[in-house]
Amino acid sequence: MQKTKNDGGENLPQKVRPKAVRITLEEARGATSARRKEGAQKTAARRVSEPAYSYIYDTFIQEMKYLKLLRELENRLVDLGIGGRVHRLSCFKNLQEIIKDDVVREVKTVVIVGNDESFIRAIDALGETGVVAGFIPIGGEKENQLAKIFGIGFGAVACDVLSARLLRKIDLGVVNGHHFLTNIDIPAANFFLECDGRYNLSFLKSADVRICNLTGQAESGERAIRVLNHSDGFLETIVYSKSRGFLDGVKEIFKKEEGVEKLSIFYNKKVNVVGSAPFVAWIDGRKVFNKKLEISILPGGLKMIVGRSRTI
Amino acid sequence: MFKKDDQSYNLSEVEADAGGEEAQTVIAAGVRVDGNFNSRGDVLIEGVVKGSVKTDKNLKIGEKAKIYAAVSAINVFVAGEAQGNIKATGRLELSSTARIFGDVEVKTLVVEAGAVLNGKCTMIGVESPRADADELKDIGKIKNAKDKE
């Protein structure tokens, strides 16, 4: 505090204002850029601390019989330098939420440790995120058909595949706003298909329909003429016309109509399945009950680590 | 192209074909298509189609197929019934069971005995011989004049 003389000659205390610091525009810019640099460094440091890999263990893996296998896998992952955050699923943890959190934390790779069912459950959250998906199959070959398709071996071999990081973009299907990976099976019912908004498919006989993205094996014993491609940007619609009644079935057995195709195949980007009443559909092996399915394809929607022995 | 072997494909075999040429679309018996059906690959029809069919490659209309549509393709093989105009920039082949009710525009036409073709047939790339027709008319006129005399 300073005392200064005023006009009246009285000594009154007066507040001293701090001297205004004049800075040039260039100096201000310099300060801003310095602050920005500091922020970027902090973010980078945070990123370094956040592991690039996230492993999600399905609930069944936490059984005692898999304990030894898991230890082996974890050791191998650490040896390969691709260890990361581990999430163990339980009835209180939502797989979708975990993946969304990982995406927010900028995790680069999310690895699902489980079987086909575990991986398929994760697909809805993994699609369109840009996060690379990995898969470590656990269990028998029957529960791990996807592992064979992706060329991922069991046990430590799967860790080596992850480490090699051979990436492939795979098309994803979208049905009523949710992603699916393999196919949609619709048993014969009262419905028709709107294909690409250009033409409609209806059935003179009862017919099973399969809309395929990744796999499209015709299980009818008929020949599937065509080619199934995981990255062609098309959905394959396979229609298997069945015999209408008992007599037709008997006729088919005794009098084979040779040279008549029963398996129809179409290639579409968008298919709407419209039923006059709700019908059953199996999406990636999960049963749904709906009156309309809006199905489309998302080309390259999933980035996936695959092995060299893949079949796609 | 349109082989009919009863070989059942398994996944690995089917996928081994992937990356090859365009796939073949099949409309089997018991399936009905309404609308404009466009394809880039070969098309095999054994069912019913109403509207139009267009492909950049080959089209086969099977024996039990019924088509009420305008058809456009490079090569067309018909064994069934087609009601509508057909345009084949390459070859149109009609088998003995073929029944076509409509105009046909083709470059090369092959017709087997017993085939039915009701409609106008135009060959692509062949000029209409007008001069010859005029000459024939003249000859006709001269003949008529001589007959009158």
Side-chain angles (χ1 to χ4, degrees), chain A residues 116 119-124 126 133 135 145-147 149-150 169-175 178-184 211-216 229-230 235-236 283-286 297 301-304 312:
Chain A
D116 286 354
F119 190 75
I120 280 166
R121 267 192 289 147
I123 282 297
D124 193 24
L126 284 171
F135 182 38
Q145 296 290 319
L146 285 176
I149 292 168
F150 293 135
K169 278 188 175 178
I170 293 167
D171 293 349
L172 275 185
V174 182
V175 53
H178 296 281
H179 299 110
F180 72 94
L181 181 67
T182 57
N183 50 45
I184 298 175
I211 297 166
C212 310
N213 175 41
L214 187 64
T215 59
N229 197 333
H230 66 286
L235 292 164
E236 287 85 16
I283 302 169
D284 277 341
R286 283 169 296 168
I297 187 112
L302 180 70
K303 271 190 209 168
M304 178 84 199
I312 53 171

Coordinates of all heavy atoms in Angstrom, one line a residue, chain A residues 116 119-124 126 133 135 145-147 149-150 169-175 178-184 211-216 229-230 235-236 283-286 297 301-304 312:
Chain A
D116 N -16.9 -69.4 -30.3 CA -17.7 -68.7 -31.3 C -18.7 -67.8 -30.8 O -18.9 -66.7 -31.2 CB -18.3 -69.7 -32.3 CG -17.3 -70.4 -33.2 OD1 -16.2 -70.0 -33.2 OD2 -17.7 -71.3 -33.9
F119 N -17.4 -64.6 -29.3 CA -17.0 -63.7 -30.4 C -18.2 -63.0 -31.1 O -18.2 -61.8 -31.3 CB -16.1 -64.4 -31.4 CG -15.4 -63.5 -32.4 CD1 -14.3 -62.7 -32.0 CD2 -15.9 -63.3 -33.7 CE1 -13.7 -61.9 -32.8 CE2 -15.3 -62.4 -34.5 CZ -14.2 -61.7 -34.1
I120 N -19.2 -63.8 -31.3 CA -20.4 -63.3 -32.0 C -21.1 -62.3 -31.1 O -21.6 -61.3 -31.6 CB -21.3 -64.5 -32.4 CG1 -20.7 -65.1 -33.7 CG2 -22.7 -64.1 -32.6 CD1 -21.3 -66.4 -34.1
R121 N -21.1 -62.6 -29.8 CA -21.7 -61.6 -28.9 C -21.0 -60.2 -28.9 O -21.6 -59.2 -28.7 CB -21.7 -62.1 -27.5 CG -23.0 -62.9 -27.1 CD -23.0 -63.2 -25.6 NE -22.0 -64.2 -25.3 CZ -21.4 -64.2 -24.1 NH1 -21.6 -63.2 -23.2 NH2 -20.5 -65.1 -23.8
A122 N -19.7 -60.3 -29.2 CA -18.9 -59.1 -29.2 C -19.0 -58.3 -30.5 O -18.7 -57.1 -30.5 CB -17.4 -59.4 -28.9
I123 N -19.4 -58.9 -31.5 CA -19.4 -58.3 -32.9 C -20.3 -57.1 -32.9 O -19.8 -56.1 -33.6 CB -20.0 -59.4 -33.9 CG1 -18.9 -60.4 -34.2 CG2 -20.5 -58.7 -35.2 CD1 -17.7 -59.8 -34.9
D124 N -21.4 -57.0 -32.3 CA -22.3 -55.9 -32.4 C -21.5 -54.6 -31.9 O -21.6 -53.5 -32.5 CB -23.5 -56.1 -31.6 CG -24.6 -55.0 -31.9 OD1 -24.5 -54.5 -33.0 OD2 -25.5 -54.8 -31.0
L126 N -18.1 -54.4 -31.6 CA -16.8 -54.2 -32.3 C -17.0 -53.5 -33.7 O -16.1 -52.8 -34.2 CB -16.1 -55.5 -32.5 CG -15.5 -56.1 -31.3 CD1 -15.0 -57.5 -31.6 CD2 -14.3 -55.3 -30.9
A133 N -10.0 -56.4 -34.0 CA -10.6 -57.6 -33.2 C -9.6 -58.7 -33.3 O -9.1 -59.1 -34.4 CB -11.9 -57.9 -33.7
F135 N -9.0 -62.9 -31.6 CA -9.8 -64.0 -31.1 C -8.8 -65.1 -30.6 O -7.9 -65.5 -31.3 CB -10.7 -64.5 -32.2 CG -11.6 -65.7 -31.7 CD1 -12.2 -65.7 -30.5 CD2 -11.9 -66.7 -32.6 CE1 -13.0 -66.7 -30.1 CE2 -12.8 -67.7 -32.3 CZ -13.3 -67.7 -31.0
Q145 N -15.8 -73.0 -34.7 CA -15.7 -73.0 -36.2 C -15.1 -71.8 -36.8 O -14.5 -71.8 -37.8 CB -17.2 -73.2 -36.8 CG -17.8 -74.5 -36.4 CD -17.2 -75.7 -37.1 OE1 -16.9 -75.6 -38.2 NE2 -17.0 -76.8 -36.3
L146 N -15.4 -70.6 -36.1 CA -14.9 -69.4 -36.6 C -13.3 -69.4 -36.6 O -12.7 -68.8 -37.5 CB -15.4 -68.2 -35.8 CG -16.8 -67.8 -36.0 CD1 -17.2 -66.7 -35.0 CD2 -17.1 -67.3 -37.4
A147 N -12.8 -70.0 -35.6 CA -11.3 -70.1 -35.5 C -10.7 -70.7 -36.7 O -9.7 -70.3 -37.2 CB -10.9 -70.8 -34.2
I149 N -12.1 -70.8 -39.7 CA -12.3 -69.9 -40.8 C -11.2 -68.8 -40.8 O -10.6 -68.4 -41.8 CB -13.7 -69.3 -40.8 CG1 -14.7 -70.4 -41.1 CG2 -13.9 -68.1 -41.8 CD1 -16.2 -69.9 -40.8
F150 N -11.0 -68.3 -39.6 CA -10.0 -67.2 -39.5 C -8.5 -67.7 -39.4 O -7.6 -66.9 -39.4 CB -10.2 -66.3 -38.2 CG -11.5 -65.6 -38.2 CD1 -12.4 -65.6 -37.2 CD2 -11.9 -64.8 -39.4 CE1 -13.6 -64.8 -37.2 CE2 -13.1 -64.1 -39.4 CZ -13.9 -64.1 -38.3
K169 N -9.8 -56.9 -43.6 CA -11.1 -56.3 -43.4 C -12.2 -57.2 -43.8 O -12.1 -57.8 -44.9 CB -11.2 -55.0 -44.2 CG -10.5 -53.8 -43.5 CD -10.7 -52.5 -44.2 CE -10.1 -51.4 -43.5 NZ -10.3 -50.1 -44.2
I170 N -13.2 -57.4 -42.9 CA -14.2 -58.3 -43.2 C -15.6 -57.6 -43.2 O -15.8 -56.7 -42.4 CB -14.2 -59.4 -42.1 CG1 -12.9 -60.3 -42.3 CG2 -15.4 -60.3 -42.2 CD1 -12.6 -61.2 -41.2
D171 N -16.4 -58.0 -44.2 CA -17.7 -57.3 -44.2 C -18.6 -57.7 -43.0 O -18.5 -58.9 -42.5 CB -18.5 -57.8 -45.5 CG -17.8 -57.3 -46.8 OD1 -17.0 -56.4 -46.7 OD2 -18.2 -57.8 -47.8
L172 N -19.4 -56.8 -42.6 CA -20.3 -57.1 -41.5 C -21.8 -56.9 -42.0 O -22.0 -56.0 -42.8 CB -20.1 -56.2 -40.3 CG -19.1 -56.5 -39.3 CD1 -19.1 -55.5 -38.2 CD2 -19.2 -57.9 -38.8
G173 N -22.6 -57.8 -41.6 CA -24.0 -57.6 -41.9 C -24.7 -56.7 -40.8 O -24.2 -56.7 -39.7
V174 N -25.7 -56.0 -41.3 CA -26.5 -55.2 -40.3 C -27.9 -55.6 -40.4 O -28.5 -55.6 -41.5 CB -26.3 -53.7 -40.6 CG1 -27.1 -52.8 -39.6 CG2 -24.9 -53.3 -40.7
V175 N -28.5 -56.0 -39.3 CA -29.9 -56.4 -39.3 C -30.6 -55.6 -38.2 O -30.2 -55.6 -37.0 CB -30.1 -57.9 -39.1 CG1 -29.4 -58.4 -37.9 CG2 -31.6 -58.3 -39.0
H178 N -28.4 -53.8 -35.8 CA -27.4 -54.5 -35.1 C -26.5 -55.3 -36.1 O -26.9 -55.8 -37.1 CB -28.0 -55.5 -34.1 CG -28.8 -54.8 -33.1 ND1 -28.2 -54.3 -31.9 CD2 -30.1 -54.6 -32.9 CE1 -29.1 -53.7 -31.2 NE2 -30.3 -53.9 -31.8
H179 N -25.2 -55.5 -35.7 CA -24.3 -56.2 -36.6 C -24.4 -57.7 -36.4 O -24.7 -58.2 -35.3 CB -22.8 -55.8 -36.2 CG -22.6 -54.3 -36.4 ND1 -22.4 -53.5 -35.4 CD2 -22.6 -53.6 -37.5 CE1 -22.2 -52.2 -35.8 NE2 -22.3 -52.3 -37.1
F180 N -24.2 -58.4 -37.5 CA -24.0 -59.8 -37.5 C -22.9 -60.3 -38.4 O -22.5 -59.5 -39.3 CB -25.3 -60.6 -37.8 CG -25.7 -60.5 -39.3 CD1 -25.3 -61.5 -40.1 CD2 -26.4 -59.5 -39.8 CE1 -25.7 -61.5 -41.5 CE2 -26.8 -59.4 -41.1 CZ -26.4 -60.4 -42.0
L181 N -22.3 -61.4 -38.0 CA -21.1 -61.8 -38.7 C -21.3 -62.9 -39.8 O -20.9 -62.8 -40.9 CB -20.0 -62.3 -37.7 CG -18.7 -62.7 -38.3 CD1 -18.0 -61.6 -38.9 CD2 -17.8 -63.4 -37.2
T182 N -22.0 -64.0 -39.4 CA -22.1 -65.2 -40.3 C -23.3 -65.1 -41.2 O -23.2 -64.7 -42.3 CB -22.0 -66.5 -39.4 OG1 -23.1 -66.4 -38.5 CG2 -20.7 -66.6 -38.7
N183 N -24.5 -65.6 -40.6 CA -25.6 -65.6 -41.5 C -26.9 -65.5 -40.7 O -27.0 -65.6 -39.5 CB -25.6 -66.8 -42.4 CG -25.4 -68.1 -41.6 OD1 -26.0 -68.2 -40.6 ND2 -24.5 -68.9 -42.0
I184 N -28.0 -65.3 -41.5 CA -29.4 -65.3 -40.9 C -30.2 -66.4 -41.6 O -30.2 -66.5 -42.8 CB -30.1 -63.9 -41.2 CG1 -29.3 -62.8 -40.6 CG2 -31.5 -63.9 -40.7 CD1 -29.8 -61.4 -40.9
I211 N -29.5 -65.9 -45.4 CA -28.8 -64.7 -45.9 C -27.4 -64.7 -45.3 O -27.3 -64.6 -44.1 CB -29.6 -63.4 -45.6 CG1 -31.0 -63.5 -46.3 CG2 -28.9 -62.1 -46.0 CD1 -32.0 -62.5 -45.8
C212 N -26.5 -64.8 -46.2 CA -25.1 -65.1 -45.7 C -24.2 -63.9 -45.8 O -24.3 -63.1 -46.8 CB -24.5 -66.2 -46.5 SG -25.5 -67.6 -46.7
N213 N -23.3 -63.7 -44.9 CA -22.3 -62.7 -45.0 C -20.9 -63.5 -45.0 O -20.2 -63.4 -46.0 CB -22.3 -61.8 -43.8 CG -21.1 -60.8 -43.8 OD1 -20.8 -60.3 -44.8 ND2 -20.5 -60.6 -42.6
L214 N -20.6 -64.2 -44.0 CA -19.2 -64.8 -43.9 C -19.3 -66.2 -44.4 O -18.4 -66.6 -45.2 CB -18.7 -64.7 -42.5 CG -17.3 -65.2 -42.3 CD1 -16.3 -64.3 -43.0 CD2 -17.0 -65.2 -40.8
T215 N -20.2 -67.0 -43.9 CA -20.3 -68.4 -44.4 C -21.6 -68.6 -45.0 O -22.6 -68.0 -44.6 CB -20.1 -69.4 -43.2 OG1 -21.2 -69.1 -42.3 CG2 -18.8 -69.2 -42.6
G216 N -21.7 -69.5 -46.0 CA -23.0 -69.7 -46.6 C -23.1 -71.1 -47.1 O -23.6 -71.3 -48.2
N229 N -17.8 -64.9 -50.6 CA -16.7 -64.0 -50.5 C -17.0 -63.1 -49.3 O -18.0 -62.5 -49.1 CB -16.5 -63.2 -51.7 CG -15.2 -62.6 -51.8 OD1 -14.6 -62.3 -50.8 ND2 -14.7 -62.3 -53.0
H230 N -16.0 -63.0 -48.4 CA -16.1 -62.2 -47.2 C -16.0 -60.8 -47.4 O -16.2 -60.0 -46.5 CB -15.2 -62.7 -46.1 CG -13.7 -62.4 -46.5 ND1 -13.1 -63.2 -47.4 CD2 -12.9 -61.5 -46.1 CE1 -11.9 -62.7 -47.6 NE2 -11.7 -61.7 -46.7
L235 N -24.4 -59.4 -49.9 CA -25.0 -60.5 -49.1 C -25.4 -61.6 -50.1 O -25.9 -61.2 -51.1 CB -26.2 -60.0 -48.3 CG -26.0 -58.9 -47.2 CD1 -27.3 -58.3 -46.9 CD2 -25.4 -59.6 -46.0
E236 N -25.2 -62.8 -49.7 CA -25.7 -63.9 -50.6 C -27.0 -64.4 -50.0 O -27.1 -64.8 -48.8 CB -24.7 -65.0 -50.6 CG -23.4 -64.8 -51.4 CD -22.3 -64.0 -50.6 OE1 -22.4 -64.0 -49.3 OE2 -21.4 -63.5 -51.2
I283 N -30.4 -65.3 -36.1 CA -29.3 -64.4 -36.5 C -28.0 -64.8 -35.8 O -28.0 -64.8 -34.5 CB -29.6 -63.0 -36.1 CG1 -31.0 -62.6 -36.8 CG2 -28.5 -62.0 -36.5 CD1 -31.5 -61.3 -36.4
D284 N -27.0 -65.3 -36.5 CA -25.8 -65.8 -35.9 C -26.1 -66.8 -34.8 O -25.4 -66.9 -33.8 CB -25.0 -64.6 -35.3 CG -24.1 -63.9 -36.3 OD1 -23.9 -64.5 -37.4 OD2 -23.7 -62.8 -36.0
G285 N -27.1 -67.6 -35.1 CA -27.4 -68.7 -34.2 C -28.3 -68.3 -33.0 O -28.7 -69.1 -32.2
R286 N -28.7 -67.0 -33.0 CA -29.6 -66.5 -31.9 C -31.0 -66.4 -32.4 O -31.2 -65.8 -33.5 CB -29.1 -65.2 -31.3 CG -27.9 -65.4 -30.4 CD -27.3 -64.0 -30.1 NE -26.7 -63.4 -31.3 CZ -26.4 -62.2 -31.3 NH1 -26.5 -61.4 -30.3 NH2 -25.8 -61.7 -32.5
I297 N -25.5 -54.6 -45.8 CA -24.1 -55.0 -45.6 C -23.2 -53.8 -45.3 O -23.5 -52.7 -45.9 CB -23.6 -55.8 -46.8 CG1 -22.2 -56.4 -46.6 CG2 -23.6 -55.0 -48.1 CD1 -22.1 -57.8 -46.5
G301 N -16.4 -53.7 -42.4 CA -16.9 -53.1 -41.1 C -16.1 -53.7 -39.9 O -16.1 -53.1 -38.9
L302 N -15.3 -54.7 -40.1 CA -14.6 -55.3 -39.0 C -13.1 -55.6 -39.4 O -12.9 -56.2 -40.4 CB -15.2 -56.7 -38.6 CG -14.5 -57.4 -37.5 CD1 -14.8 -56.7 -36.2 CD2 -15.0 -58.9 -37.4
K303 N -12.2 -55.0 -38.6 CA -10.8 -55.3 -38.8 C -10.4 -56.5 -37.9 O -10.6 -56.4 -36.7 CB -10.0 -54.1 -38.4 CG -9.8 -53.1 -39.5 CD -8.7 -52.1 -39.0 CE -8.9 -50.7 -39.6 NZ -8.1 -49.7 -38.9
M304 N -9.9 -57.5 -38.5 CA -9.7 -58.7 -37.8 C -8.3 -59.2 -37.9 O -7.7 -59.2 -39.0 CB -10.7 -59.7 -38.3 CG -10.7 -61.1 -37.8 SD -11.6 -61.1 -36.3 CE -11.0 -62.6 -35.5
I312 N -10.7 -67.8 -45.5 CA -11.4 -66.6 -46.2 C -10.3 -65.8 -46.8 O -9.2 -65.8 -46.4 CB -12.2 -65.8 -45.3 CG1 -11.4 -65.3 -44.0 CG2 -13.5 -66.5 -44.8 CD1 -12.1 -64.3 -43.2

